[in-house]
Amino acid sequence: MFVLLEAKRAGLLGRRHWLPNIVAGLIVGVVALPLAMAFAIASGVKPEQGLYTAIIAGIAVSLFGGSRVQIAGPTGAFIVILAGIVAQHGVEGLQIATLMAGIILVLFGVARMGAVIRFIPAPVIVGFTAGIGVIIWVGQWKDFFGLPAVEGRHFHEKLWQLLQVLPQFDWATTALALLSLVLVVYTSRIPRFARVPGPLVALVAATLIQAVFGFETVATIGSTFGEIPRGLPSFQWPEITMTRLVELIGPAFAIAMLGAIESMLSAVVADGMAGTRHNSNQELIGQGIANVLSPLFGGIAATGAIARTATNIRNGGNSPIAGVVHALTLVLILLFLAPFAAGIPLAALAAILFMVAWNMSELRHVVKMIKRAPRADVFILVATFCLTVFADLVVAVNIGVVLAMLHFMRRMAESVVVRRQDAGSLKHELQREGWDELPANVLVYSVDGPFFFAAADAFQRALGTTHGDPRILIIRLGHVPFIDATGLQAMETVVLSLHERGVRVIVSEPNPRVYGKLRKMGLVDKLGADDVVPTFAQALARIDQPV
């Protein structure tokens, strides 16, 4: 109940805030209607399951999430994963995987992983969302153009078959789809209709045209799925076995990770628009609860929906009341208007998904990044995009994150500087201690930057061979914030090698954390406790003192 308490503390549950939130909830509910059905159909399930998801998840996230303006439901990002799970494991397999994903999300939130998930690099996110956009776009060709069904497990196989059957497009279906697409794109640009959702206008217009002319070749929800049941779904516990759990652990983690990423992105966008500050860990818990409840009432996976959340904020929504009203609006539509949904042409829903795919692809942003971003980031973006489209979304995200981490570690390793300090650079410090210059048989090296495994090689190369084997070598660690096991091992190797050659090593200025690691590793004992000192002045004082 984090968001309710926050909204109450902010005074947003008072009566004067009811009307704007109710209006925003009604508008978002109307916007969510066509999207929920379109996303469900594209995911391989019945259209009413999208409505069930928007209702259950919408209420759960509004009550238990970490953002008071977040609107949750089925989203386009899930289409690729969910369709694959349905094709391989069936609808019940999808529901079990979603239930497991909900539990995983709750555990993520309890483990306070919210901040970590937000650190996924931008090139990875842009790459896989653009890839999903392309897959959704191509996946809707069949319904948009009225093409015959094609088979193929991989994207390139489906694309090739769709291109082959493209000349067989149906004129009536294509015309209806093009009209719907024009209405989706341009309705909001007409002054008097600026606040009217384009997808709803397209849905109503296409349905009326089909009802009047009755094109026999145009597929509708009724001709494909039958009528949408009037009323709310009943509780259904899926048949869960250990074999099913093992088979679906991978898909469940994929749903959980994508849901976490999408919800965090949506919450961040909402913060920027509404001036709020979300609780990332509570948001994960709320999303987890939503994904546990949704499949138990016939729904599918859900997450924060950026477009619907933005619509909520733009229309005055500033508390969880709007999210609850959005869900109740869909309940009323389901109870009283469900029979009319049978006449909705699939071409109209395909047109809506065309627009969703375009928005997800963020083509302008992708082109801008390719032109201006560093080459390594461009490579990560393109690699993630290609893997998403031609391989698998989970593989794409995993490899994209690994590539980004490797690039980051390379840059961090390059930022670690191991350099020799001569009398000139040490002039002021020497003068303060009464020294004119360093003795000829004393060398000073400083390490600047985190001393982790990727920087260990630079340290060994710099100190492995000193100039003429001095009598004393001072290693300054004042600018080392932390040191890991590989860095400790590299230091130990260098110290032992220098000791064998008769070189005495003095370590100065380690912070308490680094000093603790040196002691635990046994390096303090190997160096001698008196030769690990907190200041450079004490290191200089140790030069003429015996070991």
Side-chain angles (χ1 to χ4, degrees):
M1 297 291 182
F2 170 83
V3 289
L4 286 177
L5 294 174
E6 185 194 27
K8 185 177 181 180
R9 284 195 296 267
L12 298 175
L13 298 183
R15 288 188 178 182
R16 66 190 183 92
H17 292 286
W18 287 7
L19 183 59
N21 280 284
I22 290 172
V23 171
L26 289 170
I27 294 172
V28 176
V30 171
V31 171
L33 173 67
L35 293 175
M37 291 191 292
F39 292 146
I41 293 171
S43 299
V45 299
K46 295 180 179 180
E48 62 264 27
Q49 291 181 268
L51 296 176
Y52 300 157
T53 306
I55 292 168
I56 302 299
I59 292 176
V61 170
S62 293
L63 295 180
F64 302 106
S67 170
R68 64 173 183 250
V69 292
Q70 181 86 282
I71 302 295
T75 66
F78 274 135
I79 289 175
V80 178
I81 290 179
L82 303 192
I85 296 173
V86 171
Q88 188 172 355
H89 301 283
V91 175
E92 187 176 43
L94 171 60
Q95 291 176 325
I96 295 172
T98 303
L99 179 62
M100 295 168 63
I103 296 172
I104 293 169
L105 283 168
V106 171
L107 294 176
F108 279 172
V110 172
R112 311 181 82 73
M113 295 287 287
V116 176
I117 290 169
R118 288 187 297 174
F119 294 154
I120 293 178
V124 177
I125 295 175
V126 173
F128 81 71
T129 51
I132 291 171
V134 170
I135 294 173
I136 293 173
W137 176 59
V138 173
Q140 293 304 305
W141 285 11
K142 173 184 173 296
D143 291 333
F144 191 93
F145 297 108
L147 303 175
V150 298
E151 296 182 357
R153 183 177 179 182
H154 300 289
F155 173 83
H156 67 277
E157 296 171 343
K158 293 179 182 178
L159 176 60
W160 176 243
Q161 291 185 35
L162 285 168
L163 290 172
Q164 288 181 313
V165 300
L166 194 57
Q168 302 176 35
F169 71 94
D170 178 67
W171 283 99
T173 301
T174 304
L176 208 56
L178 288 172
L179 173 63
S180 300
L181 184 60
V182 170
L183 291 173
V184 169
V185 175
Y186 291 104
T187 296
S188 61
R189 302 183 186 182
I190 302 174
R192 292 185 179 180
F193 294 89
R195 297 174 67 88
V196 181
L200 181 65
V201 174
L203 205 68
V204 172
T207 303
L208 290 175
I209 292 172
Q210 175 61 19
V212 172
F213 293 97
F215 298 113
E216 295 182 0
T217 55
V218 173
T220 64
I221 287 179
S223 66
T224 308
F225 301 98
E227 289 191 1
I228 292 180
R230 179 184 293 181
L232 298 175
S234 58
F235 178 87
Q236 294 179 343
W237 184 261
E239 185 178 344
I240 300 176
T241 64
M242 184 56 67
T243 301
R244 279 290 223 180
L245 293 177
V246 173
E247 288 176 348
L248 293 168
I249 188 66
F253 263 101
I255 293 173
M257 287 302 300
L258 187 57
I261 294 169
E262 283 289 302
S263 65
M264 291 297 103
L265 286 175
S266 182
V268 169
V269 170
D271 286 347
M273 294 182 65
T276 57
R277 185 175 182 180
H278 74 280
N279 183 317
S280 57
N281 297 313
Q282 185 62 41
E283 181 64 23
L284 291 178
I285 292 173
Q287 295 293 340
I289 293 172
N291 281 282
V292 168
L293 295 176
S294 179
L296 297 179
F297 291 92
I300 57 176
T303 187
I306 297 176
R308 275 159 277 174
T309 299
T311 301
N312 177 36
I313 297 169
R314 290 193 192 104
N315 287 280
N318 60 7
S319 80
I321 294 173
V324 174
V325 171
H326 134 268
L328 295 178
T329 301
L330 291 174
V331 170
L332 294 175
I333 292 173
L334 198 59
L335 290 175
F336 299 105
L337 302 177
F340 298 101
I344 297 174
L346 297 185
L349 297 179
I352 293 170
L353 288 177
F354 265 32
M355 191 61 187
V356 170
W358 170 258
N359 291 333
M360 287 192 67
S361 67
E362 295 186 294
L363 183 59
R364 293 175 183 173
H365 186 45
V366 171
V367 172
K368 182 179 178 180
M369 284 194 71
I370 290 175
K371 287 182 177 179
R372 300 182 181 180
R375 285 180 296 177
D377 289 333
V378 173
F379 175 77
I380 293 169
L381 188 156
V382 174
T384 305
F385 171 82
C386 292
L387 287 169
T388 300
V389 174
F390 296 105
D392 179 80
L393 176 61
V394 179
V395 172
V397 174
N398 289 340
I399 292 180
V401 170
V402 169
L403 288 174
M405 289 174 61
L406 291 173
H407 173 57
F408 173 75
M409 287 187 291
R410 183 177 69 84
R411 294 293 299 273
M412 286 291 289
E414 291 174 351
S415 70
V416 178
V417 179
V418 182
R419 57 191 174 87
R420 180 184 173 185
Q421 293 187 288
D422 56 21
S425 62
L426 294 171
K427 179 179 179 181
H428 297 295
E429 291 180 278
L430 291 173
Q431 286 178 348
R432 280 200 303 267
E433 302 305 320
W435 293 68
D436 293 327
E437 59 182 14
L438 278 174
N441 56 358
V442 175
L443 291 181
V444 178
Y445 275 85
S446 68
V447 183
D448 299 330
F451 202 159
F452 69 118
F453 64 91
D457 183 59
F459 178 78
Q460 287 179 309
R461 281 189 282 106
L463 297 182
T465 304
T466 59
H467 300 273
D469 281 353
R471 181 174 64 88
I472 295 176
L473 175 69
I474 299 174
I475 303 176
R476 305 186 67 178
L477 301 181
H479 296 290
V480 175
F482 66 86
I483 185 169
D484 72 355
T486 308
L488 289 166
Q489 187 175 352
M491 179 172 283
E492 182 180 36
T493 300
V494 169
V495 167
L496 292 178
S497 174
L498 291 170
H499 279 181
E500 288 177 359
R501 286 149 45 192
V503 179
R504 179 183 173 190
V505 179
I506 300 174
V507 173
S508 74
E509 305 152 89
N511 64 42
R513 185 178 180 184
V514 172
Y515 180 81
K517 295 288 182 65
L518 294 175
R519 176 175 287 281
K520 189 174 181 180
M521 189 72 176
L523 272 171
V524 173
D525 294 332
K526 290 183 174 67
L527 290 164
D530 292 334
D531 280 345
V532 181
V533 293
T535 66
F536 182 60
Q538 289 173 289
L540 293 174
R542 289 287 300 162
I543 289 176
D544 294 325
Q545 296 180 12
V547 179

